[in-house]
Amino acid sequence: MKLTAEQIQENWDYFIQHINTWISSPRKEKLLEFYEQYKDRLILMPAAHKKEYHNAFPGGYIEHVNRVVDCALKLNNLWGEMGADLTTYTVEELVFSAINHDLGKMGDETNESYVPQTDQWRRDKLGEDYMFNNKVAFASVPDRGLYLLQSHGVQYSFNEMVAIQTHDGLYDEGNKKYLMTYMPEQKPRTCLPFVLHQADLMAARIEFEREWLPKFKNSVETPKKSFTLDTNAKPNLNKQQKALSTIKSETLKNLLDNI
């Protein structure tokens, strides 16, 4: 998928609108300052390095984040309607977590994580339009994102920290310590991590369907060879009898006799 320059700019404006609408001062100003500093990188950043993953195209990251925010707000209402205790977190915490859940994908202050793939074979055969930048030291996406926020003076709550850390749910083995506990006192004290995970999962699934389902529907089946039946041709009984002689099942023999 490709976004136009106008769509990329509209997505960025909508992203900034989320911050202005949902994040309170003075944190709002800190967050706006941070994103303005890295705007040129983030506005064109893909959400993934590989076509089979979601939104692996220029501008895909911001579009994905916007969708996660929208999904999170709708799911938040649904959780409330179904009886969840929404007093354990604020809508600002929900939106802040959604806005920054994948921030660690941007890389560090100097280097971006995703750079154009230089290996044409990997582009053609593996669908990798991007590759990981080996100048960036390894860190998990949540860890790097939280580090970037705190290093730029953007404070976050305990709820936001846990939600960002666990937004991949049990797809990330490291989240078991939060999400696979069996003692009540060790379970999350809020449903915020679950709402955010579902929002991220929903957004990624929608992006997959948009990109891949049309390709599956439009795929052309291998054409079957047409043939003309020669009614005058006589079957080669010797070959047929030889083939049937190797079959022990009477049922299969009967099926072959009737072909």
Side-chain angles (χ1 to χ4, degrees):
M1 180 175 176
K2 292 183 179 180
L3 298 177
T4 65
E6 290 76 16
Q7 288 173 319
I8 290 174
Q9 184 61 54
E10 287 172 2
N11 287 338
W12 179 261
D13 293 341
Y14 188 43
F15 174 76
I16 297 299
Q17 181 182 325
H18 285 314
I19 299 176
N20 283 316
T21 302
W22 299 106
I23 309 302
S24 59
S25 298
R27 186 164 68 158
K28 174 172 68 176
E29 286 72 26
K30 285 283 188 181
L31 207 54
L32 289 171
E33 180 183 347
F34 171 83
Y35 278 106
E36 183 60 31
Q37 180 178 351
Y38 295 103
K39 174 182 177 180
D40 290 345
R41 186 196 304 186
L42 290 165
I43 196 173
L44 292 174
M45 197 171 86
H49 77 290
K50 194 173 182 178
K51 290 178 181 178
E52 283 75 10
Y53 302 156
H54 62 91
N55 278 25
F57 50 80
Y61 172 80
I62 292 297
E63 193 207 43
H64 170 70
V65 171
N66 285 339
R67 184 170 287 104
V68 173
V69 174
D70 290 342
C71 290
L73 290 169
K74 291 182 182 296
L75 286 169
N76 183 62
N77 292 334
L78 178 61
W79 275 70
E81 291 172 7
M82 297 307 296
D85 184 358
L86 302 187
T87 66
T88 57
Y89 63 94
T90 66
V91 176
E92 178 174 345
E93 286 181 315
L94 174 65
V95 175
F96 180 92
S97 302
I99 287 173
N100 298 294
H101 77 282
D102 268 346
L103 178 60
K105 290 183 177 182
M106 71 166 270
D108 57 30
E109 290 89 342
T110 307
N111 304 288
E112 50 198 305
S113 283
Y114 300 133
V115 293
Q117 176 61 261
T118 56
D119 188 327
Q120 192 62 42
W121 185 89
R122 298 190 72 89
R123 278 180 176 268
D124 296 339
K125 303 300 182 183
L126 302 180
E128 296 179 2
D129 288 338
Y130 299 88
M131 62 182 181
F132 292 106
N133 188 351
N134 58 19
K135 293 181 180 179
V136 179
F138 172 77
S140 71
V141 169
D143 287 346
R144 189 187 304 283
L146 291 169
Y147 170 78
L148 287 168
L149 290 171
Q150 64 87 23
S151 67
H152 287 79
V154 181
Q155 295 184 338
Y156 45 83
S157 68
F158 180 83
N159 278 347
E160 291 163 345
M161 179 193 72
V162 174
I164 291 173
Q165 280 280 5
T166 61
H167 76 267
D168 279 328
L170 291 174
Y171 289 99
D172 185 340
E173 290 282 329
N175 292 335
K176 285 185 176 181
K177 59 182 177 290
Y178 288 104
L179 305 178
M180 281 191 68
T181 58
Y182 301 100
M183 300 298 290
E185 61 271 19
Q186 293 179 335
K187 293 180 182 293
R189 304 294 174 92
T190 170
C191 61
L192 174 58
F194 305 99
V195 177
L196 179 61
H197 171 56
Q198 287 184 352
D200 188 31
L201 191 65
M202 179 184 289
R205 174 65 197 186
I206 291 168
E207 290 154 7
F208 164 80
E209 291 187 358
R210 178 185 62 180
E211 178 77 15
W212 288 97
L213 291 191
K215 295 177 181 178
F216 297 151
K217 291 177 182 177
N218 296 331
S219 61
V220 180
E221 294 184 1
T222 304
K224 297 179 180 179
K225 294 182 179 180
S226 60
F227 65 93
T228 302
L229 179 63
D230 186 354
T231 57
N232 296 319
K234 296 181 180 180
N236 190 330
L237 297 178
N238 290 332
K239 288 184 178 180
Q240 183 175 345
Q241 290 170 350
K242 184 177 180 181
L244 289 174
S245 67
T246 64
I247 299 175
K248 296 181 180 180
S249 170
E250 290 298 324
T251 303
L252 286 177
K253 286 183 178 180
N254 292 334
L255 286 174
L256 289 170
D257 284 337
N258 292 322
I259 294 177

